[in-house]
Amino acid sequence: MRMSNSGNNRQIRRILSIDGGGIKGTMPAAFLAGLEEDLGEPIGRYFDLIAGTSTGGIIALGLGMGRTAKELLELYEHRGPVNFGQDDANEKPPGKMRRFLRNLSANGRHAVGPKHDSAILARELKAVLNDDLIGQSQTRLVIPAWDADLRSPYIYKTAHHARLQTDYRKTALDAALSTATEPASRRS
């Protein structure tokens, strides 16, 4: 969707950028779902580029793959606490020691282990993203992440420029997990 400015002939580009924050992804998902309800079609179609990091990257990938914001909101509302480490729905209530270890943090990071279980997150995200490839995105994407193999930042992107031809065969699920999980090497 391209529109021209009336005073000049420059194209207007619509970019959606979504911040991270774990379960706080409920807020942008709910906001976008509300807009989507008014528009009557998936909100991702209204943007030329969608960027997001961490939970914002999950939402960006979902929107790019044609999922509705409402579908993504349901992921947060129904399984969010389990996905993002606020709840252990499959376990009995934690004892004092487990609560202590879970809450132990240093400099805002979890000192004893990851904030959430990436296996649980992977299972839930696979149900939404399936085996879709980044190259199947209906909207251009930019997803900053961490490459565990290279031990450095990596930016997943659609092939929206001739130089950007490397990620189209990577799965949206891999990108979502890379942007949403904190590597062990950065936790210490």
Side-chain angles (χ1 to χ4, degrees):
M1 167 187 217
R2 307 269 189 269
M3 298 179 71
S4 63
N5 239 347
S6 58
N8 54 34
N9 290 328
R10 291 188 294 169
Q11 289 182 331
I12 294 174
R13 307 269 185 196
R14 289 177 176 78
I15 300 172
L16 174 63
S17 178
I18 310 167
D19 195 7
I23 192 65
K24 293 177 187 171
T26 305
M27 291 181 273
F31 176 76
L32 292 169
L35 290 176
E36 194 173 75
E37 191 174 309
D38 291 342
L39 294 170
E41 62 181 308
I43 192 77
R45 295 180 186 170
Y46 284 84
F47 296 97
D48 298 298
L49 177 88
I50 304 174
T53 185
S54 191
T55 202
I58 292 170
I59 295 169
L61 285 157
L63 294 174
M65 296 300 145
R67 305 314 181 269
T68 65
K70 184 178 180 179
E71 287 176 273
L72 298 168
L73 177 59
E74 288 172 2
L75 172 72
Y76 286 88
E77 288 178 333
H78 298 293
R79 299 294 293 168
V82 173
N83 293 340
F84 297 104
Q86 278 79 31
D87 185 27
D88 288 323
N90 301 326
E91 297 181 15
K92 62 183 179 182
K96 288 181 184 179
M97 184 55 128
R98 184 174 173 133
R99 279 195 310 266
F100 171 75
L101 292 174
R102 180 188 288 164
N103 294 326
L104 181 63
S105 63
N107 297 327
R109 297 178 187 258
H110 287 252
V112 177
K115 185 174 182 177
H116 55 271
D117 184 342
S118 61
I120 293 171
L121 183 61
R123 182 184 69 231
E124 298 296 327
L125 290 177
K126 183 155 178 69
V128 174
L129 298 173
N130 304 313
D131 291 318
D132 291 355
L133 302 176
I134 291 175
Q136 294 172 296
S137 180
Q138 299 169 12
T139 305
R140 295 173 178 143
L141 296 172
V142 174
I143 312 295
W146 179 257
D147 185 317
D149 294 332
L150 298 175
R151 298 177 57 100
S152 66
Y154 184 80
I155 300 175
Y156 289 89
K157 55 229 162 275
T158 53
H160 51 270
H161 187 278
R163 294 179 305 160
L164 309 176
Q165 299 292 323
T166 59
D167 296 337
Y168 72 97
R169 286 183 273 176
K170 294 181 181 177
T171 67
L173 177 61
D174 286 343
L177 291 172
S178 292
T179 193
T181 58
E182 184 176 20
S185 62
R186 289 187 20 205
R187 269 189 253 121
S188 51

